[in-house]
C-alpha cells in the first residue's frame, strides 16, 4: 500500500501569526519501503509521523493510502473516531521513543494488546497467542514472556514494543525516535531488528531519528526543515 | 488475553490508589445507606415500643366520665362485637401524684391505671410502679405510698352549685409497693398517648381504685384485647353505632323516672344537666317535652306597684329554688295554657303568700353566677318580671321537688339551716325564716318561682343548663304493663355515644401509625451527613481523576494501538464500576456499623434529642437495597463525569501525560508609552511562586477553597445557632412571655391564685402569704392531648390544646404574625368553620409540618369533628407542647375542661425560687410541678442543640475528609506539572524547595478556605444574641487544619518521589 501525501500543512493559532509546523508537504511513499526522516527539533518530523499514524489531523492537505490493486484510495483521516481507531489497530503499528509498555501486563500480554483493540475475541485466540509467541521468539525474548516490564532492560522493553507494533501485521510501521533512550549498541540492534522485520513482513517502515548514521540504513531518507522536506 | 484480564491486572497494579477509591466509595455508601438505616431503625424502634407499650391492647373506649362497669359485660355478651373489636376489659385511668410516706419524695404526672385484665392483676392494697417512676421515688420494698388523684364529681364544676373545694375534688389512696417493673413490658410502658419517652406508670387493683374514688362499680375506659388477629373482615359500621346498641340511659348519665304526682316521665341527668345532644334528640322525638332549668336564687324581691313607688314592700325571700321552663303555666290547672313569655314569671301560692304578691305585680331577683376564674358572684337579674300566674297548691308543678336536681350539701339537708353550701356561696343562715324551713320540711327543694325558659341563660354552663325534661307517658297497647312506654328505646335510639365524648380509638393502629415519627430521621441524617457524603464524592472524583491522570500515557497508548474512544471509556468504566460495586458492597457492610454507631450515639451522647434509650439497630431490606443502589448510581455518575473528558483527548496529549495546552489567541497588551515606562523592581520568592502556581488552575483552587469555605461557614454558623433561654425571663417580647415560672397541674386548679378567695378555695395553708400576693398569675385551661413538642418523636394526631387569653400574644416573639383580622376572626368565627389556633414555630414546622393558613383535623371533647387552622406562630416559645386557642373557642370545644392546668407566673426575681417551692408544697395534692420558664425553654432547646451538635460532628467529619482532598489535589497538581517541577530541579532548585513550594501552595488553599468561611460566619454570629462556644470551635478548626496539613505532609513524599531533572526529557 502506497502512501500519498498531498499539500499537507499543519499549523497552530497564536496571538499573532499561525505557527506553521508542516508547510504544503507533498510526498509519495512506496509500499514496503523503509524511510527515515531526519531533522532538527521542531522541524515537524513527529507531527508528520502522528498525522501518518492518524493520531493527529492536518490543517489542510490529505493523506491517502493506495492499495496495491489500485482500488479506490483510503483516506482514514476522514473516518469517524471508531472507524479510525479500527483502521489504526488493523493497519498501523507504532514504536515510540518511550516503550509505553503497560506495567501491569507481562511481555507476552503486552504484545497481544493490539489484538484486544481489534476486538471480537481475537486476543484470546490460539492464533494470536502463537503469533505473539513467534514474535517474542523473533525478537529473541522467548525466555522473558512472563516478565513484567519492570523486570526488563530498556532494550528488551523496546523490543517488546516493536513486537507489539507488529502483532496485527500492519502495512505501516511508524517509529518515533525508537532509539532515543537507548545506548548506541542497543540502538543499532533495535534498528536492525526493525528493518529486518519490516522487510520480512513487507511493511512500510517510516522512522524519525536524529541519528544520520542510522538513517543511512533505511532505503530512503528525508530531512525536514521548517515543515518542509529537503 | 481478554479485556477483563487487562481490567483485573490494572486494578491489581494500581491497588494503592484503587484502595483509596474503594474507601471513598465505601464511605459514601456507608453514610448514605447508614442514614437510611438510621431512619428505619428509629421507625422500627418506635413501632417496637408501640407494640410493647400496648401489650394485648388493640383498641380503647375512653369515656368522658365514669360509667357503670356493667358495660363491659354487655359488650362481651355480643359475639359480633367481640369478633370485631376483641374482648372488653374495664379500667380506670387517672393522672395523679404519688408520694413515699417514709421519705416524702414525690412525683407528679403519674399515670394511674387499674384494669381488670389478667396481665394487670394487682394484689389488693398493693401497687406496681414502673422504673421511670421508681427512679424518682427510690422506694424501699413494701414502701408505703400515698396517692392523690382527682375525685369524680357529679355536678359539673362550672355549675353554680358545684362543690370545688380541695376535699371535694381530690381523692387519695394509701397503698404499699408490690414490685417495680422495668424493661419493655405492657405494665412498664402502657400509655394511651404515643411517645417514645417512658411514662410514669402506677398500677392499682381496680377495686382499690374504685374504692378510693368512691365509685365502687365505675370505669372510665375500656381496653379491647384479642388473643390472635381477627380472621373477620374489618367492621363496616362505625364504632359508635356498634357501641350504641349496648348503651343504656345510665351510661349517658340519664335517668327516666315516672313522676308520681304528674304521671309523666322525668328525664334527668345524674350529672345535673341534660347535655345539648340530649336536647337535640328530644327536639326530634319529643318536640313538646317540658324543659326545666332549676337553680337557686339568692334573693327574690317584690317591686312596689308603679303607682306607689314608695310603698313599703314585703321582706325579700332568700335562697329560693326557681326553675326556668317552657311548661304552660299561664292557664288555670296547668293542663292547658301557654308558656311564660320573656318578661313573665309564675309563682306558687306559698311564694305569693310570703311576698303578698298578686298577678300583675313585678318582682326581681338575684342569683349566683360563676365567673370565668371560678368565683361565685351574686348578680341581680337584668330586668323585672311580671307575675303572670300564681300556681295553686294543686298545680302539678307548684310544689314538685322532682324538678330540682340533687345538689349534695343542699338538697340532702334536713333543714335549710343545715345547708352546707359550696365554697364561695354567701350563705347566711340568719336570713332563713321559719316559713322557709316549713316549706323545706313539706316540699323539700321544690321550686317556688317559675321563669321563662330563656332566663336559664343567666346560669348557663358550657355543659348545658336544662336540668330535666318532662315527657308524656304513652302506654303502648302491645305492652300495657310498661310504665315507661316507648321512651327509653326512643331516647336511646336518638342518642349517640360519640356525641357524649365517648371515644373509641383503634389504639394499636393509631400508635403504629404515629410510630412513623414526626421527623423523618432518614432525611434528617442525610442532611446531617451532607458534607460527609459530599466530601466522599469530591474525594472520589479527585481520586478517579488522579487515577486516570496517572495513566494518561497508557490511555494514549491504547488509543494509538487502535482502541476506540468508546472502548477506552468502557474499559475505564468497567474498571471503576467494578471498584464501585466492590466499594458499594463494602460500604453496605460499613453502613451497618455506621448505623449501629449512630444509634449508639443517639442513645448516649445525643440522648436529649430523642429522649429514649429504646432505639435499636434495624436492617430493612428496602434501605439495604435502595442505599447502595443510589450510592452506586451517584458513584457511577461521578466517575463518568470525572472520566469522560479523558477518553476523547487526542492520543498524542494522552501519551505525553499532560493535559492539552490551550494556546492563547488573545493578543498581548500594548506596551506602555516609553515616557511612562519605569523599572519596577521584580521580586520572586517562594510565597509569590506558590501564589502564581495556584492561579494557574483557578477553577481547581476555587473549588477546593469554596468547599472548605462553605463547610467551615456552615459549621460556624450552626455553632452560633446554639440556642439558650433568655438571661432575663421577665423581658417581653420573648420566648418566656415575661413569665418567670410555669406551673403545671395534673389535677386542674379550681381557684384563682390571684385572689384571696381563690387561694382559700385551693385551701392554701397561708393564703395571705405576701410571697403569693406579690406574684401575678395567668391561669390557663388545657385539654388533654398529645405532646406536640420536639420532645415527642411520634407523629401526634390529637394535639394538646392550651387556652390562650386575648392580649397575651404580644408578650411573645411572633415569627408569623396573625393577619390583622385574625383577632377579630377569633371572636367571630362560628364553631362550624375552621378554628384559629397558634403554635410554636418549631412545633408547626418540624412536628406538625404546618404553615400559617394550613388546617388540621381535630375531634373535640363532645366527639365533634373540627378543623383547626394555624393563624400565627411564636418563635422559641414555652408553648411547644400545645396548640394555643382563644378562651371562647376553648370553652366551646372543651366544655368538660374546668380549672387551670397551666399557670404562668410573674414575680420578682428574688421571689422565684421560694415561690416555686411554696407552690409545689401547698399544691402538691394537685400533682403540681413548678419550674422556671427558662428551664422549660432549655429542655426544648436542648433537643435542637443536640441536633445541631450532631450536624456539627458529622459536618466536621466531612470537612476533615475534605481536607484529605487537598492531598489528592497536591498529587494531581504534581502529576500535571512534572515538566515544570523537573525544570526547576534542572535549574538547580532542591527537592526540599519543591516540597516547601507544594506545601505552601496547598496549605494556602486550606487556610484561605477556612478563613473565607469562618470570618463571615463569625461576623454574622456576632450579631446574634446567642453565645458562641469558641473553645469547641477553635478545637475543631485546629483539628481540621492539622488534619489538612498532615495529609499534605503525607502526600508530599509520594508526589515528589519520581521527580528528577532527567524526567524533564520526557516532556
Amino acid at each position: 500500500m502506497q502512501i500519498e501525501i498531498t499539500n499537507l500543512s499543519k499549523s497552530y493559532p497564536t496571538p499573532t501569526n499561525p505557527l506553521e509546523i508542516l508547510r504544503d508537504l507533498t510526498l509519495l511513499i512506496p509500499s514496503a519501503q523503509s524511510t527515515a526522516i531526519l531533522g532538527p527539533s521542531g522541524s515537524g518530523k513527529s507531527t508528520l509521523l502522528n498525522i501518518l499514524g492518524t493520531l493527529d489531523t492536518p490543517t489542510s492537505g490529505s493523506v491517502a493510502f493506495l492499495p496495491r490493486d489500485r482500488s479506490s484510495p483510503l483516506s482514514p483521516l476522514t473516518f469517524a473516531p471508531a472507524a479510525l481507531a479500527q483502521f489504526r489497530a488493523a493497519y498501523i503499528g507504532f514504536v515510540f521513543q518511550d516503550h509505553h509498555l503497560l506495567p501491569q501486563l507481562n511481555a507476552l500480554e503486552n504484545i497481544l494488546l493490539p489484538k484486544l483493540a481489534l476486538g471480537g475475541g481475537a486476543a484470546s485466540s490460539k492464533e494470536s497467542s502463537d503469533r505473539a509467541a513467534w514474535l517474542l521468539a523473533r525478537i529473541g525474548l522467548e525466555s522473558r514472556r512472563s516478565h513484567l516490564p519492570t523486570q526488563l532492560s530498556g532494550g528488551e522493553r523496546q523490543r517488546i514494543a516493536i513486537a507489539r507494533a507488529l502483532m496485527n501485521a500492519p502495512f505501516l510501521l511508524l517509529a518515533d525516535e525508537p532509539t532515543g533512550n537507548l545506548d548506541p549498541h542497543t540502538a543499532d540492534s533495535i534498528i536492525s531488528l526493525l528493518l529486518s522485520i519490516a522487510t520480512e513482513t513487507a511493511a512500510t517502515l517510516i522512522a524519525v531519528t536524529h541519528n544520520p548514521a542510522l538513517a543511512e540504513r533505511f532505503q530512503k531518507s528525508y530531512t525536514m526543515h521548517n515543515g518542509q522536506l529537503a | 488475553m481478554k479485556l477483563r484480564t487487562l481490567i483485573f491486572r490494572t486494578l491489581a497494579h494500581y491497588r494503592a490508589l484503587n484502595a483509596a477509591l474503594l474507601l471513598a466509595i465505601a464511605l459514601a455508601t456507608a453514610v448514605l445507606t447508614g442514614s437510611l438505616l438510621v431512619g428505619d431503625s428509629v421507625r422500627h424502634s418506635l413501632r417496637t415500643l408501640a407494640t410493647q407499650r400496648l401489650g394485648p391492647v388493640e383498641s380503647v373506649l375512653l369515656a368522658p366520665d365514669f360509667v357503670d362497669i356493667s358495660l363491659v359485660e354487655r359488650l362481651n355478651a355480643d359475639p359480633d362485637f367481640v369478633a370485631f373489636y376483641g374482648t372488653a376489659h374495664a379500667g380506670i385511668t387517672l393522672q395523679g401524684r404519688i408520694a413515699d410516706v417514709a421519705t416524702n419524695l414525690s412525683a407528679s404526672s403519674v399515670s394511674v391505671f387499674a384494669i381488670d385484665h389478667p396481665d394487670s392483676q394487682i394484689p389488693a392494697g398493693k401497687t406496681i410502679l414502673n422504673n421511670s417512676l421508681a427512679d424518682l421515688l427510690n422506694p424501699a420494698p413494701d414502701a408505703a405510698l400515698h396517692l392523690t388523684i382527682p375525685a369524680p364529681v357529679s355536678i359539673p364544676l362550672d355549675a353554680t352549685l358545684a362543690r370545688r373545694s380541695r376535699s371535694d375534688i381530690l381523692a387519695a389512696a394509701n397503698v404499699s409497693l408490690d414490685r417495680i417493673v422495668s424493661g419493655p413490658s405492657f405494665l412498664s410502658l402502657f400509655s394511651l398517648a404515643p411517645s417514645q419517652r417512658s411514662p410514669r406508670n402506677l398500677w392499682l387493683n381496680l377495686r382499690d381504685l374504685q374504692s378510693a374514688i368512691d365509685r365502687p362499680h365505675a370505669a372510665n375506659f375500656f381496653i379491647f384485647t384479642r388473643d390472635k388477629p381477627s380472621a373477620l373482615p374489618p367492621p363496616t359500621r362505625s364504632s359508635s353505632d356498634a357501641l350504641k346498641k349496648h348503651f343504656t340511659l345510665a351510661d349517658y348519665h340519664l335517668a327516666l323516672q315516672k313522676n308520681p304526682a304528674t304521671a309523666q316521665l322525668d328525664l334527668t341527668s345524674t350529672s345535673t344537666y341534660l347535655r345539648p345532644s340530649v336536647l337535640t334528640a328530644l327536639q326530634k322525638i319529643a318536640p313538646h317535652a317540658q324543659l326545666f332549668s332549676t337553680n337557686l336564687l339568692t334573693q327574690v324581691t317584690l317591686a312596689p306597684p308603679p303607682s306607689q313607688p314608695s310603698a313599703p314592700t314585703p321582706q325579700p325571700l332568700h335562697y329560693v329554688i326557681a326553675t326556668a321552663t317552657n311548661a304552660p303555666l299561664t292557664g288555670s290547672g296547668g293542663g292547658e295554657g301557654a308558656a311564660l313569655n320573656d318578661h313573665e314569671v309564675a309563682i306558687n301560692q306559698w311564694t305569693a303568700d310570703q311576698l303578698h304578691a298578686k298577678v300583675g305585680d313585678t318582682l326581681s331577683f338575684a342569683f349566683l353566677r360563676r365567673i370565668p376564674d371560678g368565683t361565685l358572684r351574686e348578680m341581680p337579674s337584668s330586668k323585672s318580671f311580671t307575675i303572670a300566674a300564681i300556681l295553686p297548691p294543686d298545680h302539678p308543678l307548684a310544689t314538685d321537688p322532682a324538678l330540682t336536681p340533687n345538689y349534695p350539701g343542699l338538697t340532702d339537708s334536713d333543714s335549710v339551716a343545715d345547708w352546707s353550701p359550696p365554697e364561695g356561696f354567701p350563705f347566711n343562715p340568719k336570713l332563713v325564716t321559719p316559713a322557709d324551713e316549713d316549706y323545706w320540711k313539706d316540699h323539700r327543694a321544690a321550686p317556688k318561682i317559675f321563669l321563662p325558659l330563656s332566663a336559664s341563660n343567666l346560669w348557663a354552663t358550657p355543659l348545658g343548663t336544662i336540668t330535666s325534661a318532662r315527657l308524656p307517658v304513652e302506654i303502648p297497647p302491645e305492652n300495657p304493663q310498661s310504665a315507661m312506654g316507648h321512651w327509653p328505646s326512643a331516647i336511646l335510639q336518638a342518642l349517640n355515644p360519640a356525641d357524649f365524648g365517648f371515644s373509641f380509638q383503634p389504639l394499636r393502629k393509631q400508635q403504629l401509625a404515629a410510630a412513623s415519627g414526626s421527623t423523618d430521621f432518614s432525611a434528617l441524617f442525610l442532611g446531617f451527613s451532607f458534607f460527609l457524603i459530599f466530601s466522599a464524592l469530591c474525594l472520589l472524583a479527585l481520586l478517579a481523576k488522579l487515577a486516570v491522570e496517572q495513566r494518561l500515557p497508557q490511555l494514549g497508548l491504547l488509543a494509538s494501538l487502535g482502541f476506540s474512544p468508546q472502548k477506552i471509556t468502557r474499559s475505564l468504566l468497567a474498571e471503576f464500576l467494578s471498584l464501585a460495586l466492590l466499594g458499594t458492597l463494602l460500604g453496605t457492610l460499613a453502613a451497618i456499623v455506621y448505623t449501629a454507631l449512630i444509634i449508639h450515639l443517639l442513645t448516649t451522647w445525643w440522648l436529649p434529642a430523642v429522649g429514649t434509650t429504646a432505639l435499636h439497630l434495624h436492617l430493612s431490606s428496602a434501605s439495604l437495597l435502595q442505599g447502595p443502589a443510589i450510592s452506586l448510581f451517584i458513584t457511577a455518575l461521578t466517575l463518568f463525569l470525572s472520566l469522560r473528558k479523558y477518553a476523547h483527548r487526542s492520543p498524542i496529549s494522552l501519551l505525553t501525560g499532560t493535559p492539552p495546552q490551550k494556546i492563547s489567541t488573545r493578543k498581548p497588551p500594548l506596551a506602555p508609552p516609553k515616557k511612562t515606562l519605569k523599572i519596577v523592581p521584580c521580586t520572586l520568592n517562594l510565597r509569590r511562586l506558590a501564589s502564581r502556581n495556584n492561579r494557574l488552575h483557578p477553577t481547581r483552587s476555587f473549588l477546593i477553597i469554596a468547599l472548605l469555605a462553605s463547610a467551615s461557614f456552615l459549621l460556624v454558623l450552626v455553632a452560633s445557632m446554639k440556642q439558650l433561654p433568655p438571661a432575663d425571663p421577665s423581658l417581653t417580647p420573648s420566648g418566656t412571655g415575661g413569665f418567670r415560672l410555669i406551673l403545671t397541674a395534673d389535677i386542674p386548679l379550681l381557684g384563682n391564685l390571684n385572689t384571696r378567695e381563690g387561694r382559700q378555695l385551693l385551701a392554701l395553708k397561708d393564703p395571705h402569704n405576701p410571697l403569693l400576693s406579690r406574684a401575678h398569675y395567668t391561669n390557663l385551661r388545657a385539654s388533654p392531648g398529645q405532646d406536640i413538642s420536639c420532645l415527642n418523636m411520634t407523629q401526634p394526631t390529637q394535639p394538646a390544646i392550651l387556652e390562650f387569653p386575648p392580649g397575651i400574644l404580644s408578650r411573645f416573639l411572633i415569627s408569623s404574625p396573625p393577619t390583622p383580622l385574625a383577632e377579630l376572626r377569633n371572636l367571630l368565627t362560628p364553631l362550624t368553620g375552621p378554628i384559629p389556633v397558634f403554635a410554636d414555630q418549631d412545633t408547626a414546622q418540624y412536628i406538625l409540618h404546618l404553615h400559617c393558613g394550613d388546617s388540621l383535623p381535630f375531634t373535640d371533647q363532645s366527639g365533634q369533628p373540627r378543623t383547626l387552622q394555624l393563624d400565627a406562630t411564636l418563635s422559641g416559645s414555652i408553648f411547644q407542647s400545645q396548640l394555643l386557642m382563644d378562651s371562647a373557642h376553648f370553652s366551646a370545644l372543651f366544655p368538660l375542661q374546668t380549672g387551670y392546668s397551666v399557670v404562668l407566673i410573674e414575680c420578682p426575681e428574688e421571689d422565684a425560687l421560694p415561690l416555686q417551692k411554696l407552690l409545689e408544697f401547698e399544691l402538691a395534692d394537685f400533682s403540681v410541678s413548678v419550674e422556671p420558664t427558662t428551664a422549660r425553654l432549655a429542655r426544648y432547646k436542648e433537643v435542637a442543640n443536640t441536633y445541631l451538635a450532631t450536624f456539627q460532628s458529622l459536618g466536621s467529619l466531612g470537612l476533615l475528609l475534605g481536607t484529605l482532598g487537598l492531598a489528592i489535589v497536591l498529587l494531581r497538581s504534581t502529576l500535571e506539572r512534572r515538566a515544570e517541577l523537573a525544570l526547576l530541579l534542572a535549574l538547580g532548585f532542591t527537592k526540599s524547595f519543591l516540597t516547601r513550594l507544594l506545601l505552601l501552595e496547598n496549605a494556602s488553599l486550606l487556610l484561605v478556605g477556612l478563613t473565607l468561611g469562618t470570618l463571615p460566619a463569625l461576623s454574622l454570629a456576632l450579631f446574634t444574641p446567642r453565645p458562641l462556644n469558641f473553645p469547641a470551635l477553635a478545637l475543631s478548626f485546629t483539628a481540621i487544619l492539622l488534619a489538612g496539613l498532615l495529609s499534605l505532609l503525607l502526600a508530599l513524599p509520594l508526589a515528589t518521589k519520581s521527580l528528577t531533572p532527567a524526567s524533564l526529557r520526557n516532556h
Side-chain angles (χ1 to χ4, degrees), chain B residues 146 257 281 283 320 328 433 512 518 579 599 617 648 660 672 685 696 720 730 750 752 787 821 923 978 994 1045:
Chain B
H146 180 75
Q257 289 175 318
Q283 273 181 350
V320 175
T433 65
L512 288 177
S518 53
L579 274 180
I599 295 292
L617 175 67
H648 292 91
N685 54 26
L696 197 63
S720 73
S730 64
L750 294 175
N752 181 358
D787 181 359
L821 292 175
L923 299 171
R978 271 178 300 195
L994 294 188
L1045 290 175

Side-chain angles (χ1 to χ4, degrees), chain B residues 293-312:
Chain B
S293 172
T294 303
N295 198 27
L296 181 74
L297 306 181
T298 50
Q299 182 174 300
V300 176
T301 309
L302 188 71
S307 54
Q308 299 171 290
S310 56

Side-chain angles (χ1 to χ4, degrees), chain A residues 12-15 50 55 81-82 85-86 88-89 94 96 100 102-106 109 112-114 116-119 123-124 164 181, chain B residues 1-3 5-6 9-10 13-14 553-554 557-567 651-652 655 663-668 1065:
Chain A
Y12 293 103
T14 68
N50 289 337
L55 297 179
Q86 194 66 20
R88 200 156 51 227
F94 274 100
F96 301 99
H100 285 306
L102 298 193
Q104 63 269 40
L105 301 182
N106 63 28
E109 288 165 339
L112 271 169
L113 203 56
L116 204 56
L118 280 180
S124 50
R164 180 182 63 194
N181 289 343
Chain B
M1 189 176 70
K2 292 182 176 171
L3 191 61
T5 314
L6 178 65
R9 292 288 179 85
T10 308
H13 184 76
Y14 296 102
Q554 271 195 32
L557 174 78
L558 294 179
S560 63
L561 290 181
F563 282 77
S564 64
Q566 290 78 11
K567 202 165 190 173
I652 300 301
L655 274 170
I663 297 171
S664 172
T665 53
R666 201 172 52 184
K667 291 193 174 181
R1065 197 174 51 183

